[in-house]
Amino acid sequence: MIKHPRVLGTVRLSILKDDTTSPEKQRHAVEHWASGPAVDGRMVGFAEDLDVSGALHPFKRPGLGPWFLERADDWDVLAVWKLDRLSRKAGHFAEVLEWCQKRGKTIVSVTEGIDMGTPMGKMFAQIIAAFAEGELDTIRARALSGSRARKAKGVWIGGVEPFGYRFERQECGGKKLAQDPDYGALFQEIVERLKGDWSSYKIAVDLNKRGVPTWRDHLRIVKGEKPRGIEWTSNAVRVVVMNPTVAGIYTYKGENVVDENGEHVSITDQPLMDYAEWAGLVASLKSDRPVRRATPSRSMLGGVAVCLECGSRMSSNKKTKPDGRVHHYYGCNAVNTGTCDKPGRIRRDDLDQAVGVFVETVLGPLPVMERVGNAISQTKVELAEAEEVLDRLEADYLAGRFKTDVQVERYWGQHEFQSAKVERLRAEIKAAEDAPGWITTGRTNAEEWAAKDDEQKRVFLRRHGITVHVGPTEDGNRRVVVKMPEVAEIPEAVGLHAPEGYRRVEREAEYILPRQRAYKRK
């Protein structure tokens, strides 16, 4: 290993709960190893993948992937808590190891004492990776066998009730999952708010203000135990919504359990949400993930407005004047580092008003639409999953992984089932696209905008792809450039459709805001 290496730590967890401590444990172990006298390394960052399966290729993980594809020159050593945190697939592990060897990089398992920069370390790593893959296959087989028995009996033997469900005793014995009336309704409220431009942070604040217990505290209260008083967080709200169990899908240690046809195994006849609708919602939440910050912004344009000079995001700040008046403004985040030559800075009220005028002028007249029946986007998500299963089956077959007669027979059965499913979903999408699928709500976007608070407006701007750039002019005024994509480029999930014959005069506007509070269109 090279002296004083640049260390990239990686953290992975299959299931993230509100009281999870494993990520902190993994980070601490890696930091302790890197700072030790034997290594004397420098941490360059952590690639975190929470709620991510060990079967997902490291190159495709949202946290770790960019460090391979975009930031490969920024680190020398990839340090993991244990090798299974990197991957549970021997094939994936071998690809990552080969990639690192070609580029002079090293993989280290800090708790297992394996340094793949040595021949002995490479040998041990390959053995452990093979055992990890075998363990994953065993877990899946055991889970599938158990789930078949549960499905046949209609009972639940999986431990603590998933969010929004309660146990119902069966006459024949055992317990069945049914919707919890209170938290089932709470889940529907959370979903409707997320669809209605509420951020997960705002939802968490509201639940805490109302004194709504978290799910684990609710279960303690039901059992007559004292609640721990754990508060809702933005991440806890997202974890609840993005957990497959709310769509009635059985999971085992973060892995979705499938039957012999590759279909998801159900845990209940009364899911909180239809699977196709849930998949569409999760896809929109992943694409709409807000910029991470220590304290979520409560202003309309914090994290949305961008400095025209350096491209850094702008945050809302305040300054108290000697007479006690508070001055609110947006400022370039790079101003403290001195990396921006002309940092953007503008009164908060002025910029909010300018963007509000743009939205009311450009989007205001357009009607808010609602899709009739299931959204096409949800069916497309289901189609993509079916095509992915089919592709994986064919790749495994071509790679010779089905060796016995039984395995080959099962392969053709699954292939036939998934092929028929792909054809059916494609036909459903075509039929839905040929038929009118939207109706007007009778409301305009101007009315919707006026009813939203600052946080909801920020979510609205992000979902519609509206960008705001701020910079100084040569004469000391403030230049504001607001842009948005064409209506056709906005995702259908937003529900924005232009009426026949509608032509927008502009989708880009520039404002010059003088130092006084008035502003004018350039």
Side-chain angles (χ1 to χ4, degrees), residues 242 277-289 377 381:
M242 299 177 77
E277 184 181 359
W278 171 82
L281 177 63
V282 169
S284 67
L285 290 177
K286 288 182 178 179
S287 63
D288 192 40
R289 183 179 291 273
S377 59
V381 171

Side-chain angles (χ1 to χ4, degrees), residues 22-36:
S22 184
E24 287 73 22
K25 183 190 302 182
Q26 294 181 43
R27 281 193 293 269
H28 176 73
V30 171
E31 289 172 344
H32 179 74
W33 172 85
S35 61

